[in-house]
Amino acid sequence: MPQASAKSSGEFNLGLGILGALLGAGTGAALLFVIAVALGFRIPFIGLITGLLAGYGARWLYKGTDHALGVITAVITFVFLGGTLYLLFGIFAIGSIISLLVSVSVAYRIAST
């Protein structure tokens, strides 16, 4: 007998996965902002926290992984972190771009695999 896949049973919920990505990215961006304002400077690669929180938040609420969830999580992370970095510094320096790319790739990787 062929077994039904987990996706067809309604076990996964993309809406909850997106909510998890939004909550994780929002929390990470808020932490980045508070730490940067409190210290007066930016610690290299602290934006990675945003990618980690977004990826694990999406994965946790989705209750699994999926390619589409990874892409959506990467886009959400890009918007939240990019907006925060622009708000803090007004311009994208090479360090900001590298931090943004690393965070987006980490969020995608965690949520999709």
Side-chain angles (χ1 to χ4, degrees), residues 16-78:
L16 285 176
I18 293 171
L19 177 64
L22 287 169
L23 291 173
T27 303
L31 281 172
L32 169 65
F33 185 79
V34 167
I35 289 171
V37 169
L39 295 178
F41 63 92
R42 184 173 161 260
I43 299 170
F45 297 109
I46 197 162
L48 181 64
I49 294 170
T50 304
L52 289 169
L53 289 173
Y56 282 119
R59 187 179 195 166
W60 179 55
L61 288 182
Y62 185 73
K63 296 184 177 29
T65 60
D66 186 41
H67 174 71
L69 180 66
V71 171
I72 293 169
T73 303
V75 169
I76 290 171
T77 302
F78 181 82

Side-chain angles (χ1 to χ4, degrees), residues 80-92:
F80 272 79
L81 184 59
T84 303
L85 291 173
Y86 187 75
L87 180 66
L88 285 171
F89 307 111
I91 190 168
F92 284 110

